Amino acid sequence: AQKITQTQPGMFVQEKEAVTLDCTYDTSDPSYGLFWYKQPSSGEMIFLIYQGSYDQQNATEGRYSLNFQKARKSANLVISASQLGDSAMYFCAMRDTRTGANNLFFGTGTRLTVIP
Amino acid sequence: EAQVTQNPRYLITVTGKKLTVTCSQNMNHEYMSWYRQDPGLGLRQIYYSMNVEVTDKGDVPEGYKVSRKEKRNFPLILESPSPNQTSLYFCASSFDRHSYEQYFGPGTRLTVT
C-alpha cells in the first residue's frame, strides 16, 4: 500500500535561516512521483516542487529543494533563507500509481512558522 | 487567466438538504478530481475523472456523487449531507492523467449542521 508520512506537526524557524520539512513514503512501485504543496492561511494549495523516482538529480525551484533519498524512501523539503511569507501548512504528496490516473496521496502536513 | 473555479466558496447547510458544489476549469484539461481536507488527515481523494463521461471513486467516495458531462465542469453532489461531511473541499485538474502539475481550485468550506 502507498503511504506518505509527515512526522512533524509543527516547525519553527528563524527568518533567513534554512529549514527542512520531513517526508517519508512507502510504495512498491518502481515508478512514482513526489510533490510538495504549500497551503497559506488563505487556504489555496500552491504547487512547489516535483521529483520523479527516476530523476537523477534532486529537484530545485528557487529557494525550495527536495532532498530525495531513494534508499531511505525520504523526500524532505528544504527551504533556504526563510521569509515571513513562508509561514504556512506544507503537504508532501505522492502520485497514486494503483489506478494509472493522476491521483495524489497526501501526508498530514507540517505547519511552519517563521519567526522574525 | 488559467484557473480552476469553485462555487460556492463557503456554505452552511442542514443535514439532508441536497447540495452541489461546482468546479470549472478553463484550460481544456482532461483530468479532474475532488479532495476533502480535514484536520490531522491531510487531503483525501473523493472522486476523479480522466475524461468526459469517465469517473471513478477515490479513497472516500461514500455520500458523494459526481458527473462529467462536459470537459470543463466537474460538479460534486451531496444528495443527503451529514455533519461528517463538514470539510474543506478542493477541486483539481491537470492536462491529462500523466501531467504531474495539478491546478487546485480555491477551496469550498462546507459546514453541515
Side-chain angles (χ1 to χ4, degrees):
Chain A
Q2 294 181 298
K3 190 176 179 182
I4 289 280
T5 303
Q6 294 180 256
T7 57
Q8 307 156 314
M11 288 282 287
F12 292 88
V13 64
Q14 205 74 38
E15 195 178 5
K16 299 179 186 174
E17 298 290 313
V19 62
T20 297
L21 306 184
D22 294 342
C23 173
T24 58
Y25 61 91
D26 192 17
T27 180
S28 56
D29 198 317
S31 176
Y32 51 89
L34 295 157
F35 303 77
W36 277 92
Y37 283 85
K38 173 184 178 181
Q39 186 179 44
S41 57
S42 50
E44 71 269 30
M45 296 291 287
I46 302 169
F47 166 75
L48 294 178
I49 199 166
Y50 168 80
Q51 178 86 41
S53 59
Y54 293 122
D55 293 342
Q56 295 295 317
Q57 295 195 335
N58 287 346
T60 60
E61 290 286 349
R63 294 186 299 111
Y64 304 108
S65 60
L66 200 152
N67 185 1
F68 182 46
Q69 298 187 45
K70 205 168 181 176
R72 298 181 60 187
K73 292 191 174 179
S74 75
N76 300 338
L77 177 70
V78 180
I79 305 175
S80 62
S82 297
Q83 302 172 356
L84 295 178
D86 293 335
S87 292
M89 197 75 170
Y90 288 81
F91 291 97
C92 181
M94 179 167 61
R95 182 181 292 177
D96 182 355
T97 56
R98 294 172 299 173
T99 61
N102 207 5
N103 308 340
L104 296 176
F105 267 129
F106 284 84
T108 52
T110 296
R111 184 170 298 282
L112 177 67
T113 302
V114 180
I115 304 166
Chain B
E1 180 190 353
Q3 59 182 350
V4 178
T5 56
Q6 295 179 226
N7 283 291
R9 295 288 313 281
Y10 304 90
L11 179 60
I12 300 174
T13 190
V14 296
T15 299
K17 186 177 180 183
K18 181 179 178 179
L19 67 92
T20 299
V21 183
T22 64
C23 172
S24 183
Q25 48 89 8
N26 62 0
M27 297 168 279
N28 201 36
H29 284 174
E30 287 186 353
Y31 175 89
M32 298 184 75
S33 67
W34 277 102
Y35 294 86
R36 62 176 287 174
Q37 181 182 1
D38 302 291
L41 295 177
L43 282 77
R44 294 175 294 165
Q45 191 179 52
I46 304 170
Y47 268 95
Y48 64 95
S49 169
M50 289 202 267
N51 215 325
V52 176
E53 301 292 1
V54 181
T55 63
D56 212 340
K57 296 177 181 178
D59 292 315
V60 288
E62 295 78 20
Y64 304 95
K65 285 174 57 176
V66 293
S67 68
R68 188 91 182 271
K69 292 187 172 63
E70 46 189 345
K71 204 170 188 179
R72 64 182 293 127
N73 296 324
F74 190 44
L76 179 70
I77 303 154
L78 285 73
E79 295 268 2
S80 183
S82 61
N84 65 12
Q85 292 178 299
T86 293
S87 188
L88 178 59
Y89 291 86
F90 287 100
C91 180
S93 75
S94 64
F95 180 71
D96 58 26
R97 63 188 180 95
H98 301 293
S99 304
Y100 71 78
E101 187 164 9
Q102 292 202 38
Y103 294 78
F104 279 79
T108 294
R109 188 166 292 281
L110 172 66
T111 302
V112 183
T113 60

